[in-house]
């Protein structure tokens, strides 16, 4: 952004696409970085409903917008729209940042990479990973150096998941209503599931994460509050997410 915070014909435009993008600090935080580095660029929050998402992102190919960061609620929908994608996007099934190259969109992933580095900064070793979603797949592909135990309410899904991510002899655990599961001995708990309740979990770690933003319902946040444990959302880490997004945008 320039000193006057004005958009000119030379300003490179980027979008932050989400159902409630305008309520997020993401665009303002990234624009602050643009300004600090003297870049004539601006990120614009784009409030897009689910039924308009495909149309909006597809039309970006012929627009003046150079790329977009995708809010968590839409990251699974991006993969079918982009023309090219990184290997991690293809293997996991999720994409959270796109860049326009001519009239093509190339998709990549940065959010899970940020989370991995954040956990390393905490010197986390033992992790409880809940779920089999694309978020869980992406983390599993990047989890080298961690000791990960896998949890899910469907054991067959969990076994298929470990095959998909090519894990042998993984520690698999079934979560079931009425059977207490204590995760307090783990260094971190990550919830990447679609479970509607985590009431069976009687203990959580000192570090509990998912990638939900403040407008999304988080079952982990609910359980952490009940157990009086710390919960960290996407919005709690916006500064480090925007730093990584900036580096990708700058190439």
């Amino acid at each position: 952004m320039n000193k006057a915070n004005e958009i000119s014909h030379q300003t490179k435009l980027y979008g932050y696409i989400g159902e409630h993008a305008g309520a997020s600090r993401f665009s303002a935080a990234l624009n602050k970085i643009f300004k600090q580095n003297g870049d004539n660029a601006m990120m614009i929050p784009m409030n897009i409903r689910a039924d308009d998402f495909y149309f909006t992102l597809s039309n970006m190919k012929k627009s003046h917008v150079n790329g977009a960061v995708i809010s968590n609620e839409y990251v699974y929908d991006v993969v079918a729209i982009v023309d090219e994608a990184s290997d991690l996007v293809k293997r996991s099934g999720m994409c959270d940042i796109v860049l326009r190259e001519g009239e093509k969109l190339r998709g990549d992933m940065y959010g899970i990479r940020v989370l991995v580095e954040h956990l390393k900064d905490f010197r986390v070793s033992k992790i409880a990973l809940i779920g089999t979603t694309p978020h869980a797949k992406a983390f599993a592909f990047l989890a080298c150096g961690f000791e990960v135990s896998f949890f899910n309410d469907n054991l067959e899904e969990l076994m298929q998941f470990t095959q998909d991510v090519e894990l042998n002899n993984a520690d698999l655990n079934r979560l079931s209503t009425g059977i207490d599961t204590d995760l307090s001995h783990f260094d971190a708990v990550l919830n990447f599931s679609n479970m509607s309740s985590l009431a069976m979990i009687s203990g959580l770690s000192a570090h509990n994460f998912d990638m939900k933003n403040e407008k999304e319902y988080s079952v982990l946040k609910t359980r952490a509050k009940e157990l009086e444990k710390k919960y960290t959302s996407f919005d709690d880490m916006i500064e480090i997410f925007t730093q990584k997004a900036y580096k990708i945008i700058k190439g």
Side-chain angles (χ1 to χ4, degrees):
M1 295 173 67
N2 55 41
K3 292 182 179 180
N5 296 336
E6 295 174 344
I7 299 176
S8 69
H9 290 295
Q10 288 74 41
T11 304
K12 289 187 176 182
L13 298 178
Y14 299 91
Y16 178 62
I17 299 178
E19 188 174 5
H20 305 284
S24 172
R25 295 187 293 112
F26 192 95
S27 296
L30 190 53
N31 285 333
K32 183 178 180 180
I33 299 173
F34 283 142
K35 193 169 186 178
Q36 289 172 342
N37 287 277
D39 298 312
N40 190 4
M42 182 178 289
M43 174 155 283
I44 301 170
M46 301 170 66
N47 292 334
I48 305 298
R49 298 179 306 181
D51 53 357
D52 291 328
F53 180 77
Y54 183 91
F55 176 82
T56 300
L57 197 60
S58 296
N59 281 355
M60 190 175 292
K61 300 176 184 182
K62 296 185 178 181
S63 74
H64 295 294
V65 179
N66 292 276
V69 172
I70 311 300
S71 184
N72 187 64
E73 64 269 26
Y74 293 145
V75 294
Y76 301 166
D77 302 317
V78 184
V79 182
I81 304 174
V82 296
D83 302 287
E84 299 176 0
S86 67
D87 287 341
L88 188 57
V89 168
K90 293 175 183 177
R91 296 182 73 189
S92 67
M94 64 174 286
C95 173
D96 55 14
I97 189 166
V98 297
L99 295 176
R100 182 174 59 80
E101 299 173 354
E103 292 189 1
K104 292 184 177 182
L105 294 180
R106 175 171 176 76
D108 207 342
M109 187 191 306
Y110 80 101
I112 297 296
R113 296 183 192 276
V114 170
L115 179 59
V116 167
E117 292 304 315
H118 192 59
L119 292 170
K120 289 179 179 178
D121 289 342
F122 277 123
R123 301 186 182 277
V124 162
S125 177
K126 295 181 62 177
I127 294 175
L129 176 61
I130 306 171
T132 61
T133 63
H135 280 86
K137 285 185 177 181
F139 186 86
F141 285 130
L142 297 172
C144 182
F146 296 121
E147 181 184 340
V148 184
S149 296
F150 298 89
F151 294 81
N152 197 45
D153 55 347
N154 185 316
L155 196 56
E156 290 183 1
E157 280 185 7
L158 196 54
M159 293 174 67
Q160 182 61 53
F161 169 86
T162 56
Q163 292 180 27
D164 293 343
V165 298
E166 301 174 358
L167 287 174
N168 297 318
N169 303 315
D171 179 21
L172 307 184
N173 303 271
R174 182 170 179 261
L175 294 174
S176 179
T177 303
I179 300 177
D180 279 356
T181 302
D182 187 358
L183 304 181
S184 61
H185 61 287
F186 288 94
D187 299 325
V189 173
L190 311 180
N191 180 43
F192 295 141
S193 75
N194 294 317
M195 295 176 63
S196 59
S197 172
L198 296 177
M200 75 291 292
I201 295 177
S202 58
L204 285 170
S205 168
H207 303 292
N208 303 287
F209 299 87
D210 57 21
M211 297 294 282
K212 302 285 188 181
N213 60 57
E214 292 295 340
K215 292 295 183 178
E216 293 179 282
Y217 172 71
S218 169
V219 67
L220 180 62
K221 180 179 181 179
T222 298
R223 192 61 180 142
K225 185 175 181 180
E226 292 168 349
L227 296 174
E228 298 182 343
K229 290 291 186 178
K230 181 181 179 182
Y231 160 79
T232 302
S233 70
F234 174 89
D235 296 78
D236 293 325
M237 299 190 292
I238 272 185
E239 279 68 27
I240 59 174
F241 282 120
T242 51
Q243 288 286 350
K244 181 65 173 180
Y246 175 78
K247 290 179 181 178
I248 293 174
I249 287 170
K250 294 294 289 183

